[in-house]
Amino acid sequence: MNVRPKPPAESGKILYTQVYDYIWDRIRRGDWKAHDKLPSVRALAGELQLHRLTVFRAYGLLKEQGIVYVKEKSGYYVSEEQPHADPAAPKGEEAAFFVPTAAGVSEKALSGPRHGGGRMQNTLSEIHRIPADYSFSQALIDPNLLPNLFLSDHVKQVFDRYPKLLGTYSSVQGDEELRELLSADLQRKNKLQVSPDELLITTGGQQAIDLLAGVYLRPMDHVLVERPTYSSALDCFRQRGARLLPVEIRRDGYDLDVVEAYLKRHKPRMFYMNPTFHNPTGYTVPAVQRKQLVELAERYGCLIVEDDAVHDVYFDAPPPPPLYSYDTEGWVVYLRSFSKYLAPGLRICAVAARAAAMVPLLTAKSLADNGTPLVNQKLFQHCFESVRLQLHLEKLRTALQIRRDVMEQALASGTGWQWFRPQGGLNLWVHLPDGLNANRLLTESIRRGLTFVPGTICDPMGEMNDQIRLSYSFMNEARIQEGVHLLVRLAEELVQSE
């Protein structure tokens, strides 16, 4: 069946700003120097596979900012006098919410999705840095649910076993004993055929995403992403100047006809996905689609980056096998976070990749930090191989399921709130009552000491302003109940004030 995909999310007025960023970034890097002639509109449009009007609008904005000038009947040239700072971004293309910075005396605007490369941002991190009495933005596990005394007891044992631990580095790829342990665990529990040499230990999943973006993405490359998805990954891809192709994720997975149409038409470099207890929706892609997705990746030469941060945090039944289990040709790179449910502060993620992908990743990792701290790896290894970990996981699943239920009961006290009940993970994806704006609700919630994640920053198109992500993992049952009741009351006040 031939399905013509909808235009990419960052097309039209948004896409020309990406071309603007691409040209301006190359000028700053020295690829084009003062008075150099730039490619013609026709040539650059052909190179980037864009409409000529899109490139023309980008050149017009560069001229308006004084970055380029025009010679009549000749073309565009780089100006000699360049702005000392980045020119202001085109206006009217960002959703923003406002944060009181000093007891309501002044406000700071936190922007929603910005488009194009060259502008460093992480909106989710900015929300996390806001002090809050009720933090529903943190997709972290309450420290009180973690085996803290157990971890403390093991610290001395680890240093007794490895007395020179602080006197040496880890290898770039990661501690060999830890990679052997995780390889055996993945083979035994998830039937993944992965050797220790096919594992790289990174400092958390976010570093793994950044390393992959650095290795595989260049300005104007296409990247398939879910709609919605993990916002920090979107920010990472935008920073590289990538063009995002949104694929809606639903309760039953993706529309594979749309996925194939995008693969055929746009030749994306990668498909970043979070198919297991998806962040933020909680959906899980069924096993039959996972096999089909790997087949599509092989057919069209698109790397799948499978982010699996909470695989073991399930409530009723384990999730389907990872896509990596179906991959025989090396088209899937699998990110498996382990420390989130044991010791988040250790920041341990295992990246499974075949040799073709592993070699450039090792180079990127060596340039980033020359290896994840060995102390962290050994502490994690010693805890992970203990029998007590499995007992901890069973208790943790029960505790998180109870907290999910408490949050749902508290939301049900309001009118018009709708959500999907996840069978694992850390979040609820909530549709707001009619008439509510997520960014405005967040601004007012912050004034009352409450934070959550607005749907706008999870959406590659910058929309979804009627949806929010609420994490039930970070606070206890009483605090969840208090915080959600406060949120419901605040929402009712906003609707009434309209």
Side-chain angles (χ1 to χ4, degrees):
M1 177 180 179
N2 292 323
V3 175
R4 184 178 179 86
K6 294 179 181 179
E10 301 188 348
S11 61
K13 71 172 183 177
I14 300 302
L15 189 52
Y16 85 86
T17 68
Q18 289 187 279
V19 180
Y20 164 97
D21 284 327
Y22 168 73
I23 299 169
W24 172 227
D25 187 54
R26 290 194 60 179
I27 291 172
R28 284 179 298 177
R29 293 202 313 257
D31 294 349
W32 293 312
K33 297 179 174 57
H35 305 299
D36 281 353
K37 183 177 180 179
L38 296 173
S40 68
V41 169
R42 182 188 296 274
L44 190 57
E47 177 186 338
L48 300 178
Q49 297 183 325
L50 296 172
H51 194 283
R52 278 178 287 173
L53 181 59
T54 302
V55 176
F56 178 75
R57 293 182 70 187
Y59 274 143
L61 184 59
L62 289 160
K63 179 177 178 291
E64 180 183 320
Q65 298 287 351
I67 298 169
V68 305
Y69 64 94
V70 177
K71 287 185 180 180
E72 190 173 355
K73 297 183 179 179
S74 178
Y76 293 90
Y77 292 79
V78 179
S79 298
E80 184 170 3
E81 296 293 330
Q82 294 295 328
H84 294 292
D86 284 0
K91 301 187 184 303
E93 297 170 3
E94 300 180 0
F97 42 91
F98 292 87
V99 179
T101 57
V105 174
S106 60
E107 291 184 330
K108 173 189 176 185
L110 295 186
S111 298
R114 301 168 205 170
H115 304 271
R119 296 180 220 124
M120 189 77 73
Q121 73 155 6
N122 187 337
T123 309
L124 182 61
S125 177
E126 293 176 356
I127 294 173
H128 288 339
R129 293 197 295 270
I130 299 168
D133 297 320
Y134 302 100
S135 179
F136 294 122
S137 62
Q138 294 274 9
L140 292 175
I141 291 172
D142 180 357
N144 292 314
L145 293 179
L146 300 175
N148 300 302
L149 293 177
F150 170 63
L151 293 172
S152 299
D153 290 342
H154 274 279
V155 172
K156 186 177 185 307
Q157 295 177 35
V158 170
F159 279 96
D160 286 344
R161 185 191 292 187
Y162 307 101
K164 299 179 182 179
L165 191 56
L166 290 176
T168 186
Y169 288 149
S170 164
S171 69
V172 170
Q173 189 161 357
D175 180 68
E176 186 174 357
E177 285 186 341
L178 176 58
R179 287 187 286 114
E180 288 174 351
L181 174 67
L182 295 180
S183 169
D185 186 79
L186 289 169
Q187 290 185 50
R188 183 177 63 257
K189 294 180 181 175
N190 303 119
K191 306 295 188 263
L192 296 189
Q193 297 304 310
V194 56
S195 70
D197 289 340
E198 293 172 323
L199 290 179
L200 164 66
I201 306 301
T202 61
T203 309
Q206 184 65 40
Q207 184 186 55
I209 295 169
D210 187 60
L211 293 177
L212 285 159
V215 167
Y216 287 100
L217 298 183
R218 298 294 177 267
M220 304 307 291
D221 281 345
H222 283 107
V223 179
L224 276 172
V225 293
E226 296 155 327
R227 183 179 189 230
T229 191
Y230 174 50
S231 67
S232 293
L234 295 178
D235 287 338
C236 184
F237 302 146
R238 289 190 180 105
Q239 177 60 27
R240 303 288 177 179
R243 285 184 276 178
L244 306 180
L245 300 172
V247 176
E248 184 181 357
I249 183 168
R250 310 172 301 196
R251 297 187 187 191
D252 60 348
Y254 317 103
D255 184 331
L256 294 187
D257 289 329
V258 171
V259 171
E260 183 169 12
Y262 272 140
L263 291 170
K264 187 181 297 183
R265 181 181 180 191
H266 297 289
K267 307 290 190 296
R269 295 282 287 170
M270 68 169 63
F271 185 173
Y272 170 78
M273 62 173 64
N274 177 208
T276 303
F277 309 130
H278 177 263
N279 177 9
T281 65
Y283 303 154
T284 294
V285 175
V288 64
Q289 276 208 358
R290 295 176 181 228
K291 186 174 187 296
Q292 293 171 323
L293 285 161
V294 174
E295 291 170 352
L296 286 173
E298 292 176 0
R299 188 180 311 156
Y300 293 100
C302 176
L303 185 75
I304 290 177
V305 176
E306 181 181 10
D307 191 354
D308 198 359
V310 287
H311 187 95
D312 291 313
V313 184
Y314 55 85
F315 300 145
D316 296 320
L323 277 80
Y324 191 82
S325 65
Y326 300 104
D327 180 37
T328 58
E329 302 297 325
W331 287 105
V332 180
V333 174
Y334 181 58
L335 315 185
R336 180 66 171 271
S337 297
F338 290 95
S339 58
K340 186 181 285 286
Y341 55 80
L342 179 61
L346 294 179
R347 305 290 291 143
I348 298 295
C349 175
V351 179
R354 307 303 180 195
M358 181 60 71
V359 171
L361 278 175
L362 288 175
T363 301
K365 175 66 173 171
S366 70
L367 293 171
D369 61 12
N370 214 29
T372 296
L374 185 59
V375 172
N376 295 25
Q377 295 185 64
K378 286 301 187 186
L379 286 172
F380 174 78
Q381 172 195 328
H382 202 56
C383 297
F384 189 81
E385 61 189 355
S386 68
V387 175
R388 182 159 180 181
L389 174 63
Q390 296 309 315
L391 298 175
H392 160 67
L393 269 174
E394 291 175 11
K395 293 179 180 178
L396 179 62
R397 293 180 190 120
T398 300
L400 290 175
Q401 186 171 4
I402 290 171
R403 294 184 182 202
R404 179 203 65 183
D405 294 347
V406 168
M407 177 173 280
E408 289 182 325
Q409 291 166 8
L411 281 171
S413 68
T415 302
W417 299 79
Q418 301 176 41
W419 61 90
F420 170 75
R421 166 174 268 202
Q423 297 306 306
L426 311 176
N427 310 301
L428 287 187
W429 183 239
V430 181
H431 286 252
L432 298 174
D434 290 344
L436 270 179
N437 176 295
N439 287 340
R440 187 184 172 203
L441 180 60
L442 179 59
T443 297
E444 297 304 319
S445 295
I446 289 169
R447 298 179 194 276
R448 305 283 286 272
L450 186 151
T451 58
F452 57 80
V453 176
T456 48
I457 73 170
C458 302
D459 182 6
M461 299 175 72
E463 299 172 1
M464 294 190 170
N465 206 5
D466 59 348
Q467 297 173 76
I468 64 175
R469 191 193 79 180
L470 297 176
S471 298
Y472 49 77
S473 57
F474 192 62
M475 295 185 295
N476 63 34
E477 291 92 327
R479 300 289 288 169
I480 290 172
Q481 193 170 53
E482 292 171 8
V484 173
H485 284 156
L486 172 61
L487 181 64
V488 168
R489 290 197 305 273
L490 182 55
E492 291 172 349
E493 292 172 7
L494 286 176
V495 170
Q496 291 170 4
S497 68
E498 290 293 332

